[in-house]
Amino acid sequence: MIAVNTRILRTEFKYFVPKTLREALKLIDQNGPNARVIAGGTDLLVQMKQEGISPDCLINIMTIPEMNFIKTEKGSLRIGATTKWSEILEFCSRDRKHAALYEAVRSLGKVQVRHMGTIGGNLCSASPAADSAPALLVYNSQVKLVSARGERTLPLDKYFKGVNETVRAAKELMTEIRIPSIQNGMGSAFKKLTRVGTDISKISCAVAILRKGKVCVSCQVAMGAVAPVPMKMRGAQELMNGKKVEASLVEEMGQRISAEIKPITDIRSTAEYRRQVAVVLFKDVFWKAWKRAGGEE
Amino acid sequence: MRGQSMEKKNFSTVGKTTRRKDGVSKVTGREIFSSDVVLPHMLYARVLRSPYPHARVVSISTAKAEAMGAVCITPADVPKLRYNERQVSIPEKTYRDRTVLPDTARHVGEGIAAVAAKTEALAEKALVQIAVKYERLSAVFDPFEAMTADAPTLYKDVLLGEVVLPINRNIACHREVSEGDAEKGFQEADLIVENEFRTGRVYHQQMETKAVVCRPEPDGGITVWPTAQSIHNVRQLLGRIFKIPLSKINVHRVPIGGSFGSSIQMNTCIAICVALALKARKPVKLVLTREEDMYDHCKYPSIIRLKYGVKRDGTIVAGEMKTVVDIGAHNIQAYPLLGCMSGWFVSLYRMPHLRFEGTAVYTNKVPACAMQGYGNPQVSFAVESLMDIIAEKLNMDPIEIRLKNYVGLGETFWGQGPTVRSVIRSCGVEEMLLKGKDMIGWESRKKPEEKRGRLRRGIGVARSFHTSGTGAPMPGEVIDYSTAMVKFNEDGSVDCLTALMCHGGGTLEALAKIVSEETGVPLSKVEISPADTRSTGYDVCTHATRGVYCGGASAQRAAKEAKSKLLQFASRILEVNPDALKIRPDEELGQGIVYLEGAKGKAITVGEVAKTAQIKSWGTAISVVSHRQVNCPPCFVTNFIEVEVDTETGQIRFVKAVAAVDAGTVINPDLAAGQLEGGLCRGMGLALLEDTEYDPKSGELTCGRNITDYKIFTSVEMPMTDDVLTFFAATYEPSGPLGAKGIGEAANNCTAGAFANAVYNALGIRFNELPITPEKVLTRLKEYSLRKRGK
């Protein structure tokens, strides 16, 4: 692997710049399995330089206006797949309803990456450590996949399959992410642990809570970088749903999460460390979301 | 508070914050670095590197690459001379183990062939077409394993100077130093404390990867634009390797995008590029990728076994340090490193009886080379950790034990190992410890056992120093002198020409200020000339924190001599004895004014004097001086660090710092404060984050050969600006230019030790192995609480 060269791309490829979604879908359909869609390129270009991925054709979808939008519709939020992190960050900081998403996006890369990378790209790359995934999961978000033959919308929860693997077919294009409306009494938070300020997660956690007084009506928890896919913590969630919130119960949830996750040892951290800090990371995020749900923060 | 000094000195520009002369070109992107140099008909080079940690090259076929129009070189095409890329030691102490392209690769990433082509893309494509047949050899990655009888051997022999030196059990070199009688000393001690300390193989991660452009000349010579810290050493070594007279080799000084010591030696890519250019008969440019750069160099790691014997009152009576250094695949400067490590050990605290033993071991890893501090951060981490351990055992304040034992004024200091000794003539150790103590709030510092809760804060202190250059009264094992030319131009401005290099810290800026101060010409009219080896006298290298102290002294002397010539001319015009004349700067006029004190009318601008001398054909007021400093005074440094440890996640937050330096007269206060701050940041990296690890099967770096997974700290992890306090001790170094000593490397020498002591103060847990990662902290906390429960 010493032959890797991040200065220049060794491979040659065809390059298309479609202007409409229809045109893009046609190009995807026409080109073989070795064609790749490129949005911000913050993952794909790195893979092409470092991991020997050599597509014979790149289809740039950043020039399609109908894929770049943020809209609210009856309380729910629709985000076009090629919307950049910097645009989402700006929206969230004004809208202030999606604290977990805001915190996840803010933790993602630094200015340069946020001005290039897109939400759809993050979900299509499907890294277990994708920062937006846990936040989107706790909102029960959905993704819309479109191909020349039709379209489907499915819960994000059912979308991830494995490390860099999803249920998206090769000829499908992700066009949109939908976040259901945020109810009154709902609060969310996101936090990740990293080696340095600008870094991929060692472990990440998002929590969204629907609160009524001292009772947790429902609680959504998702963890990142602790399994082949960003995952919902269903077992732990059930412990809390409809219960009066007490420290001991939150602790129990944390322990349950620590047991449920399947972390590995890699360059960023160890399986043991991830399992150990999962408890405290969850608790920190839970209490933050809890306070927000109660309007205490 | 930032970079204040207690004493105000009477200088016109030295010690004042001024605008950097190279500032505009740097911030506007107009500075030309090696990688920016473009020449007509230039080819671009790429190097083929070994994928194996240890392999013999059986055959190389370049036919396909050549068919694509590429010029190729293999070990068969290059001179066979064994060389050492570092030229700072005297020849008989220089270990030579490498060639331009070796026929055996000894670490992953070692260059074994190279191509040059019309574009970098074509070169890259041609590179892939080179077919190499390797015979894989067993590799060794652990230094202790390497020293066993049945370990694979990297070298049968190397050259020491011109002598063939057999290598046994991969031991590259070994050094022992002793004074007094260590056995006796330890017997006299009331308390003996011993511990082992380890530091990592930190990657320099200088901003600019190494680069070079070489143009072959019609007369058989070459012109080179390299990334280098010494243009003269590059020239001399190229002359020897390629058998070209030095008068036909011109090496340009090119601004460098940071170094941290990574280009003290002539970078090996330079020789490869020259070989390609000579074969191609065209200019060739070679710019290393980040991953190649990561496989090119790293900091010397250390395993240090340290022992002190002390009296009940805290007086040290004996000390012993044994170190094993895993130098990787080449011995670049391990012998002087071991000497220096003994010197750092000996010069921190007084010991009547001492013993030092150092062993440098070859392994199949990236070759280690000097990096900011040259063994000093490693030694200081061990010594300063052990000082705190001793203080605790004796129930003493850590500051008290340091004040009691430090090597200070009038005492002997080893600036560059046992052969480079000088007497300390300026010392701000006490001032820095006492003032820093108040600034950090030392009195309110609690013991670890008094701390409760999830977030625990701790304060640690550590001190250190670095040598200012490697000068000494007698010639030692290290070469050290500088050459400078100063001349008065016909309009009263001044040119200063020297081969001295600036790594970005403002060394040449300091020289301009020293020359301005010495000549009396305003700083705005003093410029540092572009330099190359043909037009300058020798300068050893900008290393060893010597730029200002040694290079500055040569410029000061040249300025003094040129000024004396100018005053001779002025005396003919003013009809005054030249010894009675002085020069003062007039900022408004932009001129130095030559004047006779107390005599009205007896004044004339420097410009008028120089112009008159030219018109009347008296000559130019010019001087060239080669100067060796006969001292290498220590620039002392002290850090107080406050951290906050999250006992649930193991994360350590840098809360506050007091960083002080005794650099003598501070020439550029803002830049000096900046160096202290940078030292804190990089020292924190050594303490908490940085190391390179190897896959024991493939011999590859586990960080994926890229900065995506080799992290360094940035301003994000530093405390808020108001909580980074820096100050300068009020000292004046009698042997330094205008009282100055060095600062560069000192800035990070004690930081890791201060961090380790701060973490101990927070948790009551001692970390002897760096970096102190959150993973290690949690593991130790778990053990610690289990042990406590067990009791």
Side-chain angles (χ1 to χ4, degrees), chain A residues 1-12 46 49-52 110 191-200 202 251 266-274 276-281 283-284, chain B residues 46 49-51 108-109 120-121 124-125 127-128 209 287-292 295 454 646 648-651 689 700 702-706 708-714 716-717 774-775 778-779 782:
Chain A
M1 289 309 282
I2 182 68
V4 164
N5 180 346
T6 49
R7 277 173 58 81
I8 49 172
L9 280 174
R10 202 183 283 155
T11 56
E12 280 172 16
V46 176
K49 285 174 170 178
Q50 291 197 348
E51 287 156 35
K110 272 287 162 279
K191 194 180 165 186
K192 71 181 190 185
L193 298 184
T194 52
R195 293 166 294 186
V196 295
T198 307
D199 197 6
I200 300 165
K202 285 181 180 180
E251 173 70 31
D266 61 15
I267 184 73
R268 294 193 296 281
S269 190
T270 63
E272 192 193 354
Y273 179 81
R274 286 175 160 124
Q276 209 174 335
V277 295
V279 185
V280 63
L281 177 66
K283 288 195 289 184
D284 285 353
Chain B
R46 295 282 296 129
R49 296 178 181 277
S50 169
V108 171
E120 195 171 3
E124 184 68 29
K125 281 180 185 166
L127 194 73
V128 184
T209 60
V287 179
L288 296 194
T289 63
R290 182 58 69 181
E291 38 280 16
E292 284 180 300
Y295 274 105
R454 175 174 169 180
D646 184 332
E648 298 272 1
T649 64
Q651 287 180 314
L689 179 69
E700 290 182 20
T702 56
C703 62
R705 80 229 163 251
N706 215 324
T708 315
D709 278 316
Y710 186 87
K711 292 293 180 188
I712 61 168
F713 290 128
T714 62
V716 176
E717 291 82 16
E775 286 77 6
L778 271 203
T779 306
K782 213 171 166 184

Side-chain angles (χ1 to χ4, degrees), chain B residues 85 203-210 227-229 256-268 293 296-298 332-333 369-372 503 542:
Chain B
E85 55 267 55
Y203 166 55
H204 296 68
Q205 185 131 218
Q206 74 288 0
M207 264 196 286
E208 177 195 29
T209 60
K210 294 177 176 180
T227 309
Q229 292 176 223
I256 197 168
S259 80
F260 295 110
S262 56
S263 293
I264 281 182
Q265 57 277 6
M266 180 195 81
N267 294 322
T268 52
D293 202 74
D296 187 79
H297 51 89
C298 69
I332 299 174
Q333 68 259 78
C369 76
M371 180 175 171
Q372 192 175 20
H503 304 166
T542 299

Side-chain angles (χ1 to χ4, degrees), chain B residues 756-768:
Chain B
N757 289 339
V759 171
Y760 179 82
N761 182 242
L763 301 177
I765 298 174
R766 173 75 43 200
F767 288 86
N768 292 342

Side-chain angles (χ1 to χ4, degrees), chain A residues 103-215:
Chain A
E103 285 169 338
V105 177
R106 215 178 55 155
S107 80
L108 202 148
K110 272 287 162 279
V111 178
Q112 296 89 333
V113 170
R114 292 202 294 259
H115 277 306
M116 295 290 292
T118 65
I119 186 167
N122 198 226
L123 296 177
C124 288
S125 290
S127 157
D131 286 318
S132 69
L136 292 170
L137 279 170
V138 296
Y139 296 128
N140 293 322
S141 306
Q142 297 170 318
V143 291
K144 185 173 166 188
L145 304 175
V146 181
S147 73
R149 280 157 192 78
E151 62 174 68
R152 55 178 174 149
T153 299
L154 68 157
L156 187 60
D157 203 12
K158 299 265 188 293
Y159 167 79
F160 295 110
K161 240 168 75 181
V163 178
N164 306 127
E165 263 186 274
T166 70
V167 299
R168 185 178 63 88
K171 303 217 161 176
E172 277 182 316
L173 183 65
M174 183 185 288
T175 55
E176 177 177 337
I177 292 91
R178 288 185 189 164
I179 303 175
S181 68
I182 303 291
Q183 303 172 46
N184 281 336
M186 210 167 144
S188 65
F190 168 91
K191 194 180 165 186
K192 71 181 190 185
L193 298 184
T194 52
R195 293 166 294 186
V196 295
T198 307
D199 197 6
I200 300 165
S201 303
K202 285 181 180 180
I203 175 170
S204 63
C205 174
V207 173
I209 293 168
L210 183 59
R211 174 176 173 177
K212 202 170 178 189
K214 288 182 178 170
V215 174

Side-chain angles (χ1 to χ4, degrees), chain B residues 112-124:
Chain B
I112 49 169
V115 302
K118 277 187 179 157
T119 64
E120 195 171 3
L122 184 61
E124 184 68 29

Side-chain angles (χ1 to χ4, degrees), chain B residues 26-61:
Chain B
K26 279 191 170 144
V27 299
T28 56
R30 288 170 71 183
E31 190 82 281
I32 302 291
F33 297 90
S34 296
S35 56
D36 297 317
V37 173
V38 174
L39 301 172
H41 313 298
M42 188 174 84
L43 304 181
Y44 295 82
R46 295 282 296 129
V47 179
L48 185 74
R49 296 178 181 277
S50 169
Y52 305 120
H54 201 187
R56 199 173 64 83
V57 176
V58 180
S59 65
I60 303 181
S61 167

